[in-house]
Amino acid sequence: FSAHRGEMICVMGASGCGKSTLLRALSGQFAPVQGEILFNGRSLYDHYEDLRGYVVYIPQFDAFDENLTIEENLEFAAAIRAPHLSRKERLRRIDAKLAELGLNERRRSVVGSVHRKTLSGGERKRLNIGLDMISTADIYLFDEPTSGLSSKDSEHVVEIIRSMAHNKIVLVTIHQPTTRIFEMFQKVILLDKGGKLVFFGTIGESLRY
C-alpha cells in the first residue's frame, strides 16, 4: 500500500494480526524480513538517521509524567521533540495545541495517576496525543488511540487527530470503530492473520468489499 500527504488511514483487523507490528515497522523500530518501507523512494532502514525525524510513533501506553501539569508535560515534550525552535515559538505552539486538544482550561491541572487521576480518560488520551503532535514530523502513527474510551470520547479523539493532521500522513490502528469514526478516514487497510493485507482502498470501496 502507499500513503500520501493529507491522507488519514485506519488499520483494522483481528487481535494479533499484526497492526501494531506494522506501525512499529513503519516507524523504524522493527525492520521487515521481506519487502521495503520507502519514504519518497528512499529506504527507511538504509537511511534511518536521515529520515527518523519525519516519523512519529504514538504507542497505546501513556507517555506523560503523572506528577507534572498538562502544560508542563507539553513544555517538556516540545523541548525534546522540537529543540530547533526558539522558546517563544515553542510556547506559541503549546498554546495552540492546548486549544486544539480542548485542554486549555485544565492546563495547570496535575495529570495524576490512573488510581488517583484528576483528568478523565478522554483528557488523558488527548494529552498523550498532543505530546507527539507538538513535533514537526510529517508522518504520525497512532496505535489504538481510542482503546478504553467511550464512543463519545473516541469520536472526540479521532476528530482531534484529523484536525491536527492537515497535510500530514496519518495511520491509526483502531478496533471496531463506530460508523461515524470510520467515515472520518479517507482509506482503510484491512489485515488478516499473519499480517496478510486483504484490502486497501477508500472507505466506500471497503464497504462494498
Side-chain angles (χ1 to χ4, degrees), residues 11 50 134 148:
V11 182
D50 293 336
I134 206 160

Side-chain angles (χ1 to χ4, degrees), residues 31-50:
V33 176
Q34 292 180 317
E36 289 183 295
I37 297 167
L38 304 176
F39 287 0
N40 289 350
R42 299 177 71 195
S43 168
L44 170 62
Y45 286 90
D46 289 347
H47 303 92
Y48 182 63
E49 290 305 315
D50 293 336

Side-chain angles (χ1 to χ4, degrees), residues 40-171:
N40 289 350
R42 299 177 71 195
S43 168
L44 170 62
Y45 286 90
D46 289 347
H47 303 92
Y48 182 63
E49 290 305 315
D50 293 336
L51 298 174
R52 61 184 298 181
Y54 294 99
V55 59
V56 168
Y57 170 70
I58 301 96
Q60 290 185 49
F61 56 81
D62 294 334
F64 47 70
D65 189 319
E66 296 173 343
N67 300 305
L68 300 180
T69 65
I70 290 173
E71 186 173 25
E72 287 168 342
N73 268 290
L74 287 172
E75 287 175 354
F76 184 62
I80 291 173
R81 291 165 173 79
H84 57 288
L85 298 178
S86 66
R87 175 166 174 76
K88 183 178 180 181
E89 176 60 24
R90 287 205 298 267
L91 291 176
R92 188 194 67 77
R93 190 177 284 260
I94 289 165
D95 284 341
K97 282 290 176 280
L98 284 166
E100 287 177 309
L101 296 166
L103 295 173
N104 193 44
E105 293 182 0
R106 306 294 308 276
R107 64 193 301 159
R108 292 183 176 84
S109 298
V110 174
V111 174
S113 68
V114 175
H115 304 294
R116 298 183 62 185
K117 59 187 179 184
T118 56
L119 305 182
S120 69
E123 288 171 332
R124 292 169 74 89
K125 285 284 186 181
R126 280 182 270 150
L127 173 59
N128 209 45
I129 287 168
L131 295 179
D132 284 294
M133 294 200 80
I134 206 160
S135 73
T136 54
D138 292 297
I139 301 162
Y140 290 92
L141 310 168
F142 292 91
D143 197 3
E144 295 282 359
T146 62
S147 66
L149 297 182
S150 67
S151 58
K152 184 178 179 181
D153 278 338
S154 295
E155 287 178 7
H156 194 182
V157 164
V158 176
E159 283 174 350
I160 287 170
I161 292 173
R162 186 173 69 167
S163 67
M164 296 167 76
H166 176 66
N167 205 30
K168 309 287 186 183
I169 294 173
V170 178
L171 272 74

